[in-house]
Amino acid sequence: MYIKVIKRHGEGPVEMKLPTAKYIIVKFEPEPTKKGMRVKSLYIDKELQKKVEQEEEQNKLQVAKLTDLEYGDVITATDGVALEKKSLLEMSETFDKALFDAKDDDRDVNLLVLKSGIDDEPCRVELPMDARVKLKFAEDEKGRGLLVKAIGIDQNAVRKLKAQAEKDAKLVAGITNLRVGDTVVMAGDHNLDNKDKKEMGILFNKALNDAQEYDQDLRLMIIKGARIDAHPTQGTLPTCKYLKIRYGKDKLKRGMLIKRLYIDEDLKKDIEAKIAAGDVFTKKAADQSLKDKDKKQIVKALDKTIGKAKASEKDEETKAIKNDQ
């Protein structure tokens, strides 16, 4: 915060910057000439400082679990749209649009970032599209993009998402052993280690489509909890279209880190209704239908054969009777 000050010896007014940290305590009293307020005391509350610094450290740790974006970074592009030499309003609108599009597509926002504002090759950073991360921006002095002035965690949003995650976990628990926080290192016959996010997505979807074609569960190799010292274990994933996955890169580049795993309940109801109405058939259902058809044909042929046999027996009996006469 900038303030104008007349110094003790009458010098000024001069413009000065006053830090806004909570632990810097300023007390004022009336100034006799009514030119402003006189500073009565200015000091640092050590206990409050310690508490604030602990909260800030905790905040940094929570933010680091969600994104590599940090205070002092400069965002130069969002989802491929450059922010260079734009006004703060234009950049904010572009950023908000990127968040909206990411939420609509159920994915993270892709950013290009100059770390700590240092002129270098921008690096790629992902930002969750949900409301957990709170950001405050300013215009970069060099016109390179959005300067991150503050980054924190919205605890209310965290609580809401935690409740949603618990609900998601209960719904998927009975159909797969894959969980949020796991790392998928192999999907079907495809290795996902040392791949960028786009390539991982292509390989995972190919494996998923192959499994869907044969109406089988997708075979996976999983590092549970993305633990550093853990070995991959086997897992399976149903190929139903209403089971949705959001993912990112494992920090050790071992594969696909699961960020959200949930059932789209509206889509599930829609698909189940179509299946019940006979509008949608799985390959398994089609195969079963053919088997049932084969069974009916066999029974029909068998009935026909038995019928012929009975008719033949009757003819023989008739001939025998005639011969006796």
Side-chain angles (χ1 to χ4, degrees), residues 1 51 88 99 119 155 223 241 250 287-288 306 310-311 321:
M1 179 173 69
K51 182 180 177 182
L88 183 59
L99 279 177
D119 280 316
Q155 296 298 340
I223 296 176
K241 294 183 183 296
D250 176 79
D287 288 346
Q288 188 62 43
I306 292 171
K310 286 182 177 180
I321 290 170

Side-chain angles (χ1 to χ4, degrees), residues 105-108 129 168 172 175-176 178-184 187 192 197 200-201 204-205 208 218 220 222 236-248 256-264 267:
D105 296 338
D106 197 24
R107 60 174 175 80
D108 293 338
M129 52 76 190
D168 292 342
V172 303
I175 59 176
T176 178
L178 187 64
R179 298 290 182 268
V180 172
D182 291 350
T183 292
V184 179
L192 303 181
K197 188 177 178 183
M200 274 195 298
F204 185 84
N205 285 328
L208 192 63
L218 176 60
L220 304 173
I222 305 165
T236 58
L237 185 73
T239 56
C240 44
K241 294 183 183 296
Y242 52 77
L243 184 61
K244 303 292 184 181
I245 294 177
R246 284 186 59 231
Y247 65 92
M256 176 185 286
L257 177 66
I258 304 303
K259 292 188 173 182
R260 190 182 176 199
L261 181 65
Y262 66 101
I263 288 175
D264 185 328
L267 181 58

Side-chain angles (χ1 to χ4, degrees), residues 18-229:
L18 180 67
T20 55
K22 294 178 182 178
Y23 52 79
I24 297 177
I25 311 299
V26 183
K27 293 184 179 180
F28 298 98
E29 63 181 6
E31 203 278 326
T33 62
K34 298 183 179 179
K35 290 181 179 179
M37 296 183 296
R38 178 183 290 168
V39 177
K40 184 178 180 181
S41 62
L42 175 64
Y43 65 96
I44 292 176
D45 185 322
K46 293 293 185 181
E47 286 188 12
L48 183 57
Q49 181 185 19
K50 185 178 179 180
K51 182 180 177 182
V52 168
E53 288 176 348
Q54 286 175 343
E55 289 175 352
E56 288 175 349
E57 187 60 31
Q58 185 65 28
N59 182 70
K60 284 181 183 178
L61 292 173
Q62 287 182 299
V63 169
K65 290 179 181 178
L66 300 175
T67 179
D68 291 328
L69 193 65
E70 299 174 294
Y71 167 80
D73 290 349
V74 174
I75 301 170
T76 62
T78 60
D79 282 346
V81 181
L83 302 179
E84 188 179 5
K85 295 180 180 178
K86 290 185 178 180
S87 69
L88 183 59
L89 178 61
E90 288 175 315
M91 289 189 290
S92 297
E93 288 176 347
T94 301
F95 186 84
D96 288 343
K97 184 180 183 304
L99 279 177
F100 179 83
D101 291 344
K103 190 170 185 178
D104 197 44
D105 296 338
D106 197 24
R107 60 174 175 80
D108 293 338
V109 184
N110 296 305
L111 307 175
L112 280 180
V113 172
L114 294 172
K115 297 303 291 178
S116 302
I118 298 172
D119 280 316
D120 201 349
E121 192 69 25
C123 63
R124 294 187 180 277
V125 170
E126 291 181 347
L127 181 72
M129 52 76 190
D130 55 58
R132 285 176 293 176
V133 180
K134 296 189 299 183
L135 291 163
K136 288 184 181 178
F137 297 117
E139 195 171 350
D140 175 55
E141 291 180 356
K142 297 180 182 179
R144 298 170 297 176
L146 279 172
L147 173 66
V148 180
K149 291 291 290 181
I151 182 167
I153 295 293
D154 186 328
Q155 296 298 340
N156 287 331
V158 169
R159 282 190 286 272
K160 286 180 182 178
L161 285 166
K162 185 178 179 182
Q164 182 62 51
E166 289 172 355
K167 180 183 176 183
D168 292 342
K170 287 178 182 178
L171 290 173
V172 303
I175 59 176
T176 178
N177 62 339
L178 187 64
R179 298 290 182 268
V180 172
D182 291 350
T183 292
V184 179
V185 298
M186 179 175 278
D189 297 324
H190 301 284
N191 277 312
L192 303 181
D193 62 321
N194 289 311
K195 304 290 190 300
D196 62 30
K197 188 177 178 183
K198 184 177 180 181
E199 192 175 1
M200 274 195 298
I202 291 170
L203 292 173
F204 185 84
N205 285 328
K206 188 176 186 308
L208 192 63
N209 290 335
D210 290 344
Q212 283 175 339
E213 186 178 346
Y214 293 98
D215 203 22
Q216 298 173 346
D217 288 346
L218 176 60
R219 292 177 293 105
L220 304 173
M221 292 301 292
I222 305 165
I223 296 176
K224 300 300 292 178
R227 295 192 303 274
I228 294 174
D229 56 347

